[in-house]
Amino acid sequence: MLPGVYSISLPDMSPSAAVDAVRRAGYAGIEWRVGSPPPPSAPPDFFSANHCTLAPEPDVMESVASQCAEAGLTVIGLCPYVEFGDTVGVEHAMRLARAAGAPMVRVRAPWRDGTSFTSLFDRARAHFADLADLAGRTGVRAVLELHQRSLCPSASLGARLVEGLDPERVGVNYDAGNLLVEGYEDHGIALEILGDHLAHVHVKNAQYVRPADGGAWTHRWSPLDDGLLDVPALLDALTAVHYGGWVSVEDFSTDRSPRETLEHNARYLRSQPAFATPAGGAR
C-alpha cells in the first residue's frame, strides 16, 4: 500500500509549502483539493478558508504536477467538490486531472433531501452512467466517496450504485472515517462487496462525545491513532483483499498543528506492516 495525504488536512499551507512538507514527512503522494483559494489574509480553516487549495485552471495543475514530480511525489487525484448531477463540471475536473497527471477525480452521490430513495437512486444511476462514459473519453476514473448523509454512506449502497459499470472507469473511495459516522460495515465484508470497484481509501478517526449540557452524543474528529477506527485492523482487511493502492490521510483533528499532525501520522503509518512491504500494484 502507498501512504498519501489529502491537502485539505493542511489548511495553513500553500500548495508549494505542502509539497515540501509532505516530501519531508515521507509520504508518497498528494491528493489535491480543488476550488477557489481563500484570500491570503483569511484565517486558515479546513473547509471555509483552506489555503492548500488549487485553483481550477490547467496552468495551476501543470505547475503543481511539476513541483510534485521534482519532489518525487505522485499526484494521487483531484477533489473538485462538483455538485451532484453537474456532468459538465465533472468533465472539466477530468480535463484538469489530465493536466495534473492525476488518474482520478472524486465525485459524490446526491445528498438525501427527502426525495424517495428509489427516485434519487434512479437519478444517481443515470448520472454515474454518464460519468462512466466521460471516464472512457478522458481516461480519468470517477471515484465515488462514501459519505454520511449522502445516498451512499456505506459500501453496500456504494456498490449497488456502481454495479454493472466498468470498475476501470468508475470506482469507490472507501472512506473509513466517514463510516464511523454513518454506514459502518465489517471491513472484510465491505471490501469484499466492493470488489474491483475498490479504487481508493481515506483514513481519519473520530470519537463520540456528549455535549456539556447533555443531549445526544455526537462525533469529533480525533487523531488517527486515537479513536473508534482500528487502523491496524483496517489495514489487515485491505491486505487480505490484496489491495495495493493509496491510503490517503484526511485528518481533521486539531490536537496538534497541521504540520505536527502530518509528521505524526507519517510515523504512525510507517510503523504498520502494510507499509513495510512494496505495494503489489493498485487495484
Side-chain angles (χ1 to χ4, degrees):
M1 280 175 254
L2 297 166
V5 177
Y6 177 24
S7 72
I8 199 171
S9 302
L10 308 171
D12 60 348
M13 296 186 193
S14 68
S16 295
V19 169
D20 183 63
V22 169
R23 176 188 65 81
R24 289 178 181 275
Y27 294 89
I30 307 180
E31 184 180 359
W32 288 102
R33 186 179 193 268
V34 177
S36 298
S41 59
D45 180 84
F46 289 117
F47 307 106
S48 63
N50 194 303
H51 294 267
C52 207
T53 299
L54 302 181
E57 300 167 5
D59 59 332
V60 173
M61 301 296 148
E62 291 168 2
S63 175
V64 80
S66 177
Q67 292 177 59
C68 285
E70 290 177 7
L73 298 172
T74 297
V75 178
I76 299 170
L78 302 184
C79 305
Y81 295 93
V82 176
E83 289 296 321
F84 167 76
D86 183 0
T87 306
V88 172
V90 175
E91 182 173 13
H92 178 62
M94 287 180 170
R95 299 199 182 283
L96 292 175
R98 289 285 298 270
M104 68 179 187
V105 297
R106 198 173 76 194
V107 295
R108 67 171 180 83
W111 301 120
R112 301 195 298 267
D113 59 2
T115 305
S116 75
F117 173 83
T118 300
S119 174
L120 206 54
F121 187 82
D122 289 346
R123 284 172 49 205
R125 278 288 295 179
H127 178 59
F128 274 78
D130 290 340
L131 297 190
D133 290 340
L134 278 180
R137 294 201 299 272
T138 63
V140 176
R141 197 180 197 181
V143 177
L144 166 69
E145 180 184 24
L146 302 181
H147 203 291
Q148 63 270 21
R149 295 182 293 279
S150 79
L151 186 70
C152 296
S154 67
S156 293
L157 284 168
R160 180 175 173 183
L161 181 59
V162 302
E163 184 178 10
L165 299 177
D166 184 348
E168 295 300 317
R169 297 184 179 189
V170 178
V172 173
N173 171 19
Y174 189 75
D175 192 310
N178 286 347
L179 297 173
L180 300 174
V181 182
E182 181 186 10
Y184 175 80
E185 298 161 317
D186 174 82
H187 294 306
I189 293 173
L191 297 174
E192 185 177 348
I193 288 170
L194 290 175
D196 289 340
H197 283 104
L198 174 62
H200 189 56
V201 176
H202 269 181
V203 288
K204 56 179 175 279
N205 221 324
Q207 300 168 349
Y208 274 85
V209 295
R210 174 169 282 167
D213 59 354
W217 290 72
T218 187
H219 75 278
R220 65 176 286 271
W221 300 116
S222 62
L224 189 58
D225 57 347
D226 187 19
L228 291 166
L229 178 64
D230 184 340
V231 176
L234 169 64
L235 297 176
D236 285 346
L238 289 166
T239 299
V241 297
H242 308 292
Y243 179 74
W246 291 97
V247 176
S248 188
V249 178
E250 183 189 38
D251 194 327
F252 298 131
S253 65
T254 56
D255 297 53
R256 302 177 177 87
S257 72
R259 184 179 294 272
E260 290 170 332
T261 297
L262 179 76
E263 295 169 351
H264 172 82
N265 289 339
R267 291 191 296 270
Y268 178 63
L269 290 180
R270 284 198 301 269
S271 73
Q272 304 302 315
F275 295 102
T277 51
R283 289 180 61 169

